[in-house]
């Protein structure tokens, strides 16, 4: 167990943030919490928006690393995505650079590459080097976040692990999720590896459990020391009975991003 480290957890009020608030302290972390909404039972949490540069600067002061989960987590009108998921990470990286924070773990998403065809039959797993193919403005913002991380590594030596998370929920809820599910316990294992591995530079990894139906290559995550222990397969029989197997002729079944690929954009009103 490495020495306890102070980690700023942004998006601490959200679904994944709540799961990680429960799981990461067991790894020895002292979490400083940040979210735009108050967190019940957490009076010391910082309640601020990613647009608030002064608050961000204070929030990152003295931390060893940042686990950046805050942001819009689904498709939304572009102007909202711009503020939360493009300007927000920029503000965070600037604050981290100014305060000398060494590492950020960035919650990227499979939707940065959502238009990539999923492997079928004996086709190889999708590598992390596959080109960005965002499926939404949301996915586009995650592609931006990965490039922002690369810039801050190349130019300023600020390290990042960009984790292209599949679906991190207590249980997989669809046949697609059987391939991309990240169990919460494996999520904590992966974030711990990303926070503690030596010399990561800017590393891009996929975030999922060791699913029997896996679509992508976990080797860059394993290189950080991540050893997934869960597999979605025990959920398969029930989900397949309810929903059927994926139909390769339907684009939302044939691409990594699922229905994000076919959902119409959300235009401003
Ligand atoms: P969520 O929507 O439940 O939580 C996001 C949190 O960020 C919320 O508490 C919200 O208040 C906060 N937030 C949003 N905009 C903010 C702003 N401008 N300033 C400060 N706080 C702000 O999302 P979830 O599921 O917890 O996801 C966390 C992160 O992981 C997101 O960045 C999401 O894109 C990413 N991700 C999650 C996946 C999942 O399966 N849960 C899959 C892929 C990526
Ligand atoms: C994501 O990026 C979302 O944040 C999450 O809510 C899920 O929709 C996930 O992708 C997914 O692809 O299932």
């Amino acid at each position: 167990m490495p020495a306890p480290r102070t980690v700023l957890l942004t998006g601490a009020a959200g679904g994944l943030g709540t799961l990680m608030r429960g799981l990461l302290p067991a790894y020895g972390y002292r979490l400083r919490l940040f979210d735009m909404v108050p967190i019940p039972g957490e009076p010391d949490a910082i309640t601020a928006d990613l647009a608030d540069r002064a608050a961000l600067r204070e929030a990152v002061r003295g931390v060893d690393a940042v686990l950046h989960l805050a942001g819009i987590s689904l498709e939304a009108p572009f102007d909202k995505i711009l503020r939360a998921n493009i300007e927000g990470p920029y503000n965070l990286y600037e604050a981290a650079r100014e305060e000398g924070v060494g590492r950020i773990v960035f919650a990227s998403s499979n939707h940065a590459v959502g238009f990539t065809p999923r492997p079928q039959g004996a086709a190889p797993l999708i590598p992390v080097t596959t080109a960005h193919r965002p499926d939404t403005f949301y996915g586009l913002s995650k592609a931006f976040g990965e490039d922002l991380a690369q810039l801050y590594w190349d130019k300023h030596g600020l390290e990042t692990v960009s984790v292209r998370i599949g679906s991190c929920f207590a249980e997989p809820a669809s046949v697609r999720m059987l391939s991309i599910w990240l169990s919460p316990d494996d999520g904590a294992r992966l974030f711990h590896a990303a926070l503690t591995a030596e010399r990561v530079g800017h590393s891009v990894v996929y975030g999922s459990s060791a699913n029997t139906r896996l679509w992508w290559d976990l080797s860059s995550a394993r290189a950080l020391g991540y050893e997934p222990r869960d597999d979605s397969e025990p959920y398969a029989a029930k989900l397949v009975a309810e929903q059927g197997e994926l139909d390769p002729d339907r684009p939302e079944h044939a691409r990594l991003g699922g229905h994000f690929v076919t959902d119409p954009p959300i235009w401003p009103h």
Side-chain angles (χ1 to χ4, degrees):
M1 172 89 63
R5 293 154 49 95
T6 304
V7 171
L8 178 70
L9 176 65
T10 74
L16 197 45
T18 301
L19 289 167
M20 293 307 129
R21 273 193 283 134
L23 292 167
L24 285 177
Y27 289 83
Y29 297 105
R30 190 166 54 245
L31 299 177
R32 189 181 292 176
L33 310 179
F34 182 105
D35 204 291
M36 67 191 291
V37 300
I39 307 173
E42 296 286 357
D44 295 336
I46 301 162
T47 304
D49 196 288
L50 292 169
D52 184 342
R53 293 184 183 189
L56 267 180
R57 181 110 187 232
E58 204 176 314
V60 301
R61 192 166 297 145
V63 301
D64 297 309
V66 179
L67 175 52
H68 181 49
L69 306 181
I72 294 173
S73 58
L74 296 166
E75 182 60 323
F78 183 76
D79 59 334
K80 290 195 166 63
I81 294 281
L82 178 63
R83 278 195 294 278
N85 287 20
I86 294 180
E87 293 176 357
Y90 164 73
N91 291 337
L92 173 69
Y93 273 79
E94 270 301 283
R97 181 188 66 77
E98 287 169 335
E99 292 296 331
V101 176
R103 186 173 300 182
I104 294 176
V105 176
F106 168 58
S108 185
S109 169
N110 70 89
H111 298 289
V113 292
F115 257 103
T116 308
R118 69 171 169 90
Q120 298 193 36
L125 297 174
I126 307 295
V128 285
T129 51
T130 197
H132 282 155
R133 292 186 72 176
D135 53 27
T136 42
F137 296 137
Y138 166 66
L140 183 63
S141 75
K142 296 300 187 181
F144 170 84
E146 293 183 8
D147 282 350
L148 182 75
Q150 187 67 47
L151 174 66
Y152 274 71
W153 166 241
D154 287 335
K155 202 142 202 164
H156 305 297
L158 200 172
E159 293 192 312
T160 297
V161 179
S162 291
V163 184
R164 287 182 189 156
I165 305 169
S167 287
C168 189
F169 300 97
E171 293 184 3
S174 68
V175 173
R176 167 177 170 268
M177 279 194 201
L178 294 171
S179 295
I180 68 171
W181 184 55
L182 175 65
S183 74
D185 286 340
D186 279 343
R189 285 181 193 109
L190 178 52
F191 290 138
H192 174 56
L195 287 164
T196 53
E198 288 186 23
R199 290 186 293 281
V200 299
H202 175 223
S203 302
V204 181
V205 306
Y206 289 109
S208 65
S209 290
N211 302 317
T212 300
R213 301 171 186 231
L214 195 63
W215 286 343
W216 45 57
D217 181 3
L218 290 180
S219 58
S220 64
R222 289 182 189 276
L224 301 178
Y226 171 55
E227 291 180 20
R229 295 199 195 150
D230 294 320
D231 181 345
S232 62
E233 206 53 22
Y235 300 96
K238 178 170 178 284
L239 287 168
V240 170
E242 287 167 1
Q243 302 171 14
E245 293 284 1
L246 296 179
D247 175 354
D249 292 329
R250 293 174 58 183
E252 69 272 32
H253 288 188
R255 310 268 171 164
L256 297 184
H259 68 85
F260 285 58
V261 163
T262 46
D263 286 349
I266 303 174
W267 304 115
H269 296 292

